[in-house]
Amino acid sequence: MNNNSKYSSFDQISKQLTSLNIENKINFDLTNKSTMKIHSIAKLFVLPQDFSQLQQTIMICKTQNSSYFILGGGSNTIFPDESYNGVIISTEKLNKIQIISKTPLLVECFCGIPMQTLVNFCTKNCLTGLEEFAGLPGTVGGALYMNARCFEKSINEKIYQTTHLEISENKAEIITKDYNISEWDYKKSPFQQAQNTSPRNLNKIILSSIFKLEQDSQETTKSQEQIQKEIQQKCNKFISERKEKGHFKYPSAGSVFKNNHTFGKTSGKIIDEAGLKGTQIRGAQIAPFHANFIINVNHATAKDIKDLVTLTRNQVFQKFGYNLEPEIIFL
């Protein structure tokens, strides 16, 4: 397909979406849609308001034979330089959150809710169990997709039920499943496995999750304000640790490589021992304060970051024989 026909396909998709009152924008600047702040353009950027609109958007993309990518908070995503030749579907307006049961204590959360918003909701309602995720950038959908792990707790430990969109050749069906521990592992989820971990054109798309949480009911003498304060103090502790590690100093995508427990040490420690901390390729640098972070120090491009990832993997393998596995997604 030549470029002119490709551009016309995006115009055609946009017209179809507009006719269905689905918000969309042509040639949309993605720079502020990822925590790495890579400059890139989406040929078409779509903002579905509900699950039905998301279904419709995906089926239109399939009909037009267009690639699509489901974007949450962009905290683990590196957009391509110049432009993404497909449709970016943002979940930011899929942002409902509510307590749906008191016994057991269940909170339903749509995929586009930022993790910090979920943590704040829990604090306000005196719910515990997710404090370790305070300060984590990205959305609930992204956290589930990657099975985010913070301070030795994985998000799957609190899942009660998930709902996803299952895509086949000619339909998109909403599926709800109870949590099954056998489908989850360290930074692995059944949604990754849906298509050999490829983030593009996934056939299982997270819509929402129900989390099973706890409420401080042991000491009835505590006021609501006291309980909220104690939960917030726990959250602040984890946020402070993130700040001390330099999580918010520069644009980054957090940890670049997964930890492999068979190596006997963290990826950051291995990279540091390889003498790579502070190594810079053009605008991207291995953070001087955290060897498992790559930071954007001077208008880094996707190529700068990818080259630095490749250099790091090669150097570590040559020195120690370890094959580091990236967890960031290059779109």
Side-chain angles (χ1 to χ4, degrees):
M1 181 178 290
N2 62 41
N3 283 340
N4 289 336
S5 61
K6 192 68 177 177
Y7 285 131
S8 67
S9 76
F10 294 123
D11 291 337
Q12 184 65 31
I13 293 169
S14 177
K15 288 176 183 177
Q16 291 185 56
L17 293 173
T18 300
S19 72
L20 295 169
N21 294 318
I22 300 174
E23 184 179 355
N24 66 93
K25 302 173 182 180
I26 292 176
N27 294 328
F28 181 80
D29 188 345
L30 293 167
T31 306
N32 292 318
K33 293 299 180 180
S34 79
T35 56
M36 188 61 92
K37 305 298 183 188
I38 298 297
H39 176 66
S40 186
I41 299 293
K43 301 294 188 186
L44 187 62
F45 187 78
V46 187
L47 295 135
Q49 305 277 334
D50 54 38
F51 297 159
S52 175
Q53 287 194 350
L54 178 59
Q55 282 178 295
Q56 291 173 304
T57 300
I58 289 170
M59 296 314 295
I60 289 171
C61 288
K62 288 178 70 66
T63 301
Q64 293 291 333
N65 196 30
S66 175
S67 296
Y68 59 85
F69 178 75
I70 307 298
L71 177 67
S75 60
N76 230 28
T77 306
I78 310 298
F79 295 126
D81 295 323
E82 296 186 5
S83 66
Y84 171 59
N85 201 27
V87 179
I88 300 287
I89 305 173
S90 172
T91 64
E92 63 187 78
K93 296 198 174 182
L94 304 177
N95 54 14
K96 181 179 178 182
I97 182 170
Q98 62 181 338
I99 297 172
I100 60 170
S101 170
K102 293 292 183 69
T103 310
L105 211 164
L106 304 177
V107 173
E108 181 184 36
C109 192
F110 283 14
C111 57
I113 285 283
M115 281 301 298
Q116 187 58 52
T117 300
L118 172 58
V119 172
N120 291 343
F121 178 89
C122 291
T123 302
K124 180 181 177 181
N125 289 280
C126 302
L127 312 180
T128 66
L130 292 174
E131 290 88 336
E132 289 86 349
F133 298 93
L136 180 70
T139 59
V140 167
L144 263 64
Y145 177 83
M146 299 302 299
N147 193 15
R149 183 171 178 84
C150 301
F151 302 100
E152 304 305 314
K153 177 179 279 189
S154 295
I155 194 74
N156 73 288
E157 296 173 37
K158 306 311 297 181
I159 295 173
Y160 180 80
Q161 196 175 74
T162 59
T163 298
H164 70 272
L165 199 59
E166 191 140 332
I167 313 295
S168 62
E169 191 60 37
N170 54 11
K171 67 176 181 178
E173 185 179 5
I174 294 177
I175 305 291
T176 296
K177 290 186 65 176
D178 291 339
Y179 172 68
N180 181 347
I181 192 172
S182 67
E183 297 179 322
W184 301 74
D185 203 346
Y186 170 71
K187 295 197 175 181
K188 298 285 187 183
S189 77
F191 307 103
Q192 293 175 21
Q193 295 158 7
Q195 201 173 78
N196 300 322
T197 74
S198 169
R200 294 175 293 279
N201 295 8
L202 286 175
N203 54 27
K204 289 184 180 180
I205 296 168
I206 301 158
L207 297 179
S208 66
S209 179
I210 296 175
F211 297 101
K212 187 175 181 179
L213 303 174
E214 297 83 41
Q215 196 155 33
D216 189 341
S217 58
Q218 301 301 312
E219 296 186 44
T220 55
T221 56
K222 288 184 181 179
S223 68
Q224 180 175 342
E225 289 75 14
Q226 285 176 304
I227 297 171
Q228 288 172 336
K229 184 177 180 180
E230 289 176 5
I231 296 173
Q232 188 62 60
Q233 285 173 340
K234 292 179 185 177
C235 292
N236 290 343
K237 171 180 172 288
F238 294 117
I239 292 172
S240 293
E241 287 195 42
R242 292 182 191 279
K243 288 180 179 177
E244 288 169 9
K245 291 177 181 178
H247 284 222
F248 311 118
K249 286 183 177 180
Y250 293 90
S252 79
S255 295
V256 176
F257 300 100
K258 297 178 183 179
N259 290 323
N260 187 324
H261 300 300
T262 64
F263 296 162
K265 59 188 74 174
T266 65
S267 293
K269 180 69 172 172
I270 293 167
I271 295 166
D272 193 5
E273 290 178 355
L276 293 169
K277 188 183 282 187
T279 300
Q280 185 168 341
I281 293 181
R282 296 177 295 275
Q285 182 184 38
I286 298 174
F289 48 83
H290 194 309
N292 200 19
F293 282 9
I294 289 178
I295 55 177
N296 183 349
V297 292
N298 186 21
H299 306 291
T301 65
K303 186 179 187 309
D304 297 345
I305 297 162
K306 185 172 284 189
D307 287 350
L308 197 50
V309 166
T310 300
L311 173 72
T312 303
R313 296 186 75 193
N314 289 344
Q315 290 285 326
V316 165
F317 187 78
Q318 288 173 14
K319 291 190 177 185
F320 305 119
Y322 297 142
N323 189 10
L324 296 178
E325 181 185 359
E327 62 175 280
I328 57 176
I329 296 169
F330 287 93
L331 184 55

